[in-house]
Amino acid sequence: MNNPAIIELPTGRLELTITDSQYPSDELLGFAARANAKRGFLFLSKVLGKHWPVKPSLMREIHTRIAASVPEVAGPVVFIAMAETAVGLGQGVFEAWLLANPGREALFIHTTRYHVGGVDTIEFEEAHSHAPRQFLHMPPDAHKKELLLRAKTLVMVDDEASTGNTFLNLSHAVRSLNPGVERVHLAAIANFMGKEATAALSQRFGVPVTMSAPLNGEYQFIAGEAPTEGPPAQRFDATADRGASSAFGRFGMERAMAIPEGLAARLAEQVPAGDKVLVLGTGEFMHASFLLGAQLEQRGLDVKVQSTTRSPILKWGAVSEALAFQDNYGEGVTNFLYNVSPDQYDHVFICHETAPNQALSDLADVFDARLLHFITETHVEEVSEIPVR
């Protein structure tokens, strides 16, 4: 598809040219309108497991394909995934890269919108986001910290690249800590920066930069009337404990996340053949739900994986269903689940890192779902009753 496609959104006109794609473009993405005056459109990924339910096997295929596109680079290599949307994608890409590069020194860490413990953080901005403040924790573990500060290559993973500004902001923040970074690689499902902007990345970043994505193109958005602004998506309080865990990537990981095989085996025995299953992650807690879903799929179940999100998106285009509820991190911001109706699945398993609370209970009630509290990667407690506070 080389001629521009015109997508008329409620928030404006999107002109899109796809120059190359390893998949049919409509299998990778759709288009949605955001309740965000700073950016009224969304390239909605159909293979990410965030705003659209996806088979775990297809997600793994995308992880493997993106990991294979990372060029041969000097180590140590630090992979950073962008919160919240690409946390699961980045961790999946990191694990696929580890599998293909055994013995290489590497660290995975993801950005976050929460402070965890008393650990030092660096802050950078995702300017177009509805929740622009992002943080990267300095690993308290001495070896992981040393890997971050000794890394020669920085690989940053997001679901899509449209301007490169967020990548640039994070790169500057990391290189202020580690000026020894010699190379940056950007990885995404879709790169809409265009050939000229992609070719100019090294000049912008000040170090050699490469970029890879299964889909490439460019766009222009002509804003229409500003949409009704969605509810606040970030109420940051540096002193608040939001229940976000340090065990799943915020403090860094040097290995693949362990799989809760015992839990998967028990759940699979309880699901009749032919029943439809949704494994639902919550907010930034995404990769554990993917791993659980993948285990259930390998056991023959009909499984989709998805996650809740803080992104306000209009019910239009690639968003046919939109459910709103309170967030389980206690920020007091509205969270959403898209393209899922309450009666669509026979079984819903909600995976969460926060302690059981009323927000999780309310979400579970909508789907008659089961709550799975991940205390560690393999220590998972099913919540039968929400404590009264």
Side-chain angles (χ1 to χ4, degrees):
M1 171 173 146
N2 292 315
N3 295 322
I6 307 298
I7 301 98
E8 297 287 354
L9 288 77
T11 52
R13 171 183 288 189
L14 182 65
E15 298 180 358
L16 179 69
T17 301
I18 295 177
T19 54
D20 65 85
S21 180
Q22 298 170 16
Y23 296 83
S25 59
D26 59 356
E27 292 182 9
L28 286 182
L29 58 85
F31 307 99
R34 292 157 55 115
N36 182 346
K38 290 182 285 187
R39 177 173 286 191
F41 65 95
L42 175 71
F43 299 116
L44 189 146
S45 173
K46 295 180 178 180
V47 296
L48 180 67
K50 192 64 176 174
H51 310 109
W52 190 278
V54 189
K55 282 187 172 293
S57 52
L58 178 55
M59 292 174 67
R60 192 179 296 281
E61 178 184 331
I62 294 295
H63 298 165
T64 301
R65 185 177 291 270
I66 292 176
S69 70
V70 177
E72 183 65 32
V73 294
V77 184
V78 171
F79 286 75
I80 303 181
M82 299 292 200
E84 73 176 14
T85 306
V87 168
L89 174 68
Q91 202 153 5
V93 169
F94 167 73
E95 293 186 0
W97 185 89
L98 281 183
L99 189 63
N101 295 271
R104 294 289 304 276
E105 282 190 305
L107 177 74
F108 168 80
I109 192 166
H110 72 77
T111 70
T112 180
R113 291 185 171 92
Y114 309 109
H115 276 193
V116 178
V119 176
D120 290 339
T121 61
I122 56 174
E123 181 174 350
F124 68 101
E125 186 175 77
E126 184 180 8
H128 67 264
S129 173
H130 208 64
R133 298 183 70 181
Q134 289 214 44
F135 308 95
L136 189 73
H137 288 83
M138 182 64 68
D141 175 82
H143 182 60
K144 292 173 185 174
K145 181 178 180 180
E146 187 259 348
L147 280 177
L148 177 61
L149 298 181
R150 188 167 55 87
K152 297 299 183 184
T153 301
L154 174 62
V155 177
M156 293 183 286
V157 184
D158 208 348
D159 60 313
E160 57 96 359
S162 51
T163 66
N165 291 339
T166 306
F167 282 136
L168 180 64
N169 293 343
L170 178 56
S171 172
H172 285 335
V174 173
R175 289 171 60 210
S176 69
L177 296 173
N178 176 5
V181 170
E182 298 174 350
R183 180 172 182 173
V184 172
H185 180 74
L186 310 181
I189 295 171
N191 171 23
F192 287 116
M193 290 189 290
K195 290 184 179 179
E196 289 186 9
T198 300
L201 286 170
S202 296
Q203 183 177 357
R204 285 182 68 194
F205 280 60
V207 293
V209 178
T210 49
M211 171 88 211
S212 63
L215 184 149
N216 295 274
E218 55 188 325
Y219 78 97
Q220 181 179 9
F221 182 69
I222 300 93
E225 293 186 13
T228 301
E229 189 74 9
Q234 190 169 36
R235 290 192 175 101
F236 179 71
D237 179 354
T239 64
D241 180 358
R242 300 298 185 192
S245 174
S246 63
F248 303 99
R250 290 185 182 89
F251 286 2
M253 298 187 74
E254 301 170 70
R255 54 169 177 79
M257 187 182 291
I259 299 170
E261 295 183 0
L263 172 65
R266 177 166 58 85
L267 293 177
E269 290 176 354
Q270 299 168 2
V271 175
D275 280 11
K276 295 183 177 180
V277 177
L278 176 66
V279 182
L280 186 63
T282 45
E284 295 178 3
F285 189 66
M286 298 174 62
H287 193 58
S289 58
F290 159 73
L291 292 175
L292 177 59
Q295 281 290 306
L296 295 176
E297 185 180 25
Q298 289 174 20
R299 287 171 164 80
L301 274 61
D302 182 2
V303 182
K304 297 289 180 65
V305 173
Q306 199 174 341
S307 174
T308 63
T309 176
R310 68 171 74 209
S311 299
I313 308 173
L314 303 181
K315 190 175 176 180
W316 177 90
V319 174
S320 59
E321 299 284 345
L323 299 173
F325 44 90
Q326 285 301 302
D327 76 292
N328 58 298
Y329 291 89
E331 274 187 293
V333 302
T334 305
N335 275 203
F336 305 92
L337 180 63
Y338 298 110
N339 292 312
V340 176
S341 59
D343 58 352
Q344 187 173 346
Y345 295 92
D346 300 298
H347 308 269
V348 177
F349 303 123
I350 300 174
C351 303
H352 56 99
E353 62 178 336
T354 62
N357 56 34
Q358 190 60 49
L360 287 166
S361 179
D362 292 344
L363 177 61
D365 286 346
V366 171
F367 298 100
D368 191 23
R370 295 164 67 173
L371 292 171
L372 304 175
H373 182 197
F374 280 69
I375 298 169
T376 69
E377 298 160 62
T378 55
H379 178 190
V380 185
E381 295 182 351
E382 183 163 354
V383 178
S384 57
E385 186 174 344
I386 301 295
V388 178
R389 300 190 187 281

